[in-house]
Amino acid sequence: MKEAFIKLHLSVLIAGGTGIFGRLISLNEGLLVWYRMLLATLIFYVVLIMLKKLHRVPWHDMKRIASVGLLLAAHWLFFYGSIKASNVSIGVVCLSLMSFFTALFEPLINRHRVSWWEMLFSLLGVLGIFLIFNFDTRYRAGIGMGVVSSALASLFTICNKKVSAGYPASTMLLYEMGGGFLGLTCILPVYLYFFPVASILPAMNDWIYLLLFASVCTVWLYILQIQVLKQISAFTFNLTYNLEPIYSIIGAMILFGEARDLNFSFYIGLGLIFMSVVLQSLNVLMQNKKFTPYIYVKWKR
C-alpha cells in the first residue's frame, strides 16, 4: 500500500505537469495537440504490442470509440489555447467547472433526474470562475476558452462511459488517441489557414518537451494510474486528484512567476472552486456511491 500511495501521488504530480508543458512548448495549441496525439499513439501502440495487451475491436465499435477521441482532441485544443492566451493557473482552474457541466449535461444525455445538490455545489465553482473572470481583462479570452474546454471535457467523459463497456481501458485509450489524431489531421490545414505559423516543425527544445509530454505525461501516467487502481479505491483515487490543479499552479508560480499576475480575487475564486470540489466529494461519500475509475477523465489535461 505504501508503494501504491507513492505511485498515486507521483501520478498526480505528473498530471499537474501537463499544463506546464503547454506553456513550455512554443507551438500553437493546434500543432501541440496534433504532435502529442501522434507521439502518444505511436508510443502507446508499441507498449501494448510489447506487453501483448493489444486487443482488436470490431470496425463499428472502433468508429464509435475513435469519434469520442475527437472530443478529447477538441478539449485539449481549448485547454492549451486557454493556457497560451492567459497562463497555466487560469487554464487549470477553469477546468474545475467540469463538475458543473457534468451535473448539467449528464441528466440530459442519459435521461435521468437532475441532482440539485450537485448543481448547488457546482454553482460555487461557477461563482469562483466569475470572480476570476473579473480580476483582469487581459485574461478574458483565456478564461472563455478554459470554460469551453471544461464543457468539452465533461462531454468527453459522459460519452466515453457510453462506449466503454466490454473493452479494456488500454484499448479504449489507444483508439481514442488515434481517432483524435486522425480527426485533427483533417481539420489542421483549415486551422493553420486561420492561425498561420512560421513553421509546423518543432524546434529542438520543443521536440524534447513533446517526447517527454507524450511518454511521461500520457503513456507512463496512464500505466501508473492502472497500477494504483489495483490497490487503492476509486474514491481515494479521485479525491487525491483534486490536488492536481494545486500542483499545476505551484509549478507555474515557480517556473514562470505567475504569482505576480494573480490578485486577491483570483485566490478567493480559487477557494470557492476547491470548496465546491470538497463538498461534492463529501456528498458522494455520504451517499455511499460507487466510483467507477474512468481513467480517460485524467487525459483531459
Side-chain angles (χ1 to χ4, degrees):
M1 287 300 293
K2 181 179 179 181
E3 181 183 349
F5 275 104
I6 291 173
K7 287 182 177 180
L8 173 60
H9 285 280
L10 178 59
S11 72
V12 178
L13 185 62
I14 293 171
T18 58
I20 304 295
F21 276 105
R23 179 77 180 270
L24 286 172
I25 298 170
S26 62
L27 297 171
N28 72 8
E29 59 277 3
L31 289 170
L32 186 156
V33 175
W34 187 79
Y35 276 108
R36 182 188 186 183
M37 286 192 138
L38 169 62
L39 293 172
T41 301
L42 293 174
I43 294 170
F44 200 54
Y45 179 79
V46 171
V47 169
L48 291 181
I49 289 290
M50 293 174 61
L51 296 176
K52 297 181 179 180
K53 292 186 177 181
L54 183 63
H55 297 270
R56 295 187 178 276
V57 176
W59 176 246
H60 175 72
D61 288 345
M62 186 189 300
K63 288 191 295 182
R64 292 172 61 231
I65 297 171
S67 65
V68 175
L70 292 176
L71 281 175
L72 178 61
H75 154 65
W76 276 347
L77 278 176
F78 280 93
F79 176 63
Y80 293 109
S82 172
I83 288 174
K84 291 183 178 295
S86 53
N87 55 43
V88 177
S89 301
I90 294 294
V92 297
V93 165
C94 287
L95 204 57
S96 301
L97 276 181
M98 182 181 166
S99 59
F100 167 75
F101 286 112
T102 301
L104 186 66
F105 293 152
E106 192 168 28
L108 295 175
I109 294 174
N110 294 330
R111 298 181 181 180
H112 62 71
R113 295 179 60 183
V114 174
S115 171
W116 295 109
W117 281 113
E118 288 182 5
M119 289 296 296
L120 179 62
F121 297 148
S122 298
L123 286 174
L124 278 176
V126 175
L127 179 58
I129 292 294
F130 178 78
L131 287 174
I132 295 171
F133 190 87
N134 284 277
F135 90 92
D136 196 324
T137 57
R138 292 177 299 167
Y139 299 134
R140 291 189 174 182
I143 292 171
M145 284 189 281
V147 171
V148 174
S149 166
S150 65
L152 289 168
S154 172
L155 286 173
F156 167 72
T157 305
I158 296 168
C159 293
N160 188 68
K161 291 179 184 179
K162 295 177 73 71
V163 302
S164 63
Y167 295 108
S170 56
T171 301
M172 291 288 298
L173 180 62
L174 176 64
Y175 285 110
E176 285 173 349
M177 284 286 182
F181 166 72
L182 291 175
L184 192 55
T185 299
C186 294
I187 66 172
L188 196 61
V190 178
Y191 185 89
L192 292 176
Y193 176 81
F194 288 102
F195 302 98
V197 294
S199 174
I200 62 172
L201 294 176
M204 182 57 67
N205 284 346
D206 285 337
W207 272 118
I208 295 172
Y209 291 143
L210 282 166
L211 286 170
L212 288 172
F213 195 25
S215 58
V216 177
C217 291
T218 308
V219 177
W220 189 36
L221 176 59
Y222 166 80
I223 293 171
L224 277 176
Q225 289 174 339
I226 286 292
Q227 292 174 347
V228 166
L229 281 164
K230 290 180 179 179
Q231 296 180 272
I232 292 176
S233 71
F235 176 79
T236 301
F237 180 89
N238 284 294
L239 192 62
T240 306
Y241 258 83
N242 292 335
L243 295 171
E244 180 187 344
I246 297 177
Y247 289 162
S248 292
I249 292 170
I250 291 174
M253 288 179 175
I254 294 172
L255 292 174
F256 310 121
E258 289 190 1
R260 64 176 179 269
D261 298 326
L262 309 174
N263 66 7
F264 186 68
S265 65
F266 173 87
Y267 294 107
I268 293 295
L270 181 63
L272 287 173
I273 290 169
F274 281 109
M275 184 186 298
S276 168
V277 172
V278 170
L279 288 174
Q280 290 184 72
S281 299
L282 290 174
N283 182 52
V284 171
L285 182 60
M286 290 174 64
Q287 294 182 27
N288 195 28
K289 290 182 179 179
K290 293 182 180 179
F291 276 72
T292 303
Y294 286 97
I295 295 301
Y296 314 100
V297 177
K298 304 309 168 191
W299 301 121
K300 62 186 182 296
R301 280 73 177 176

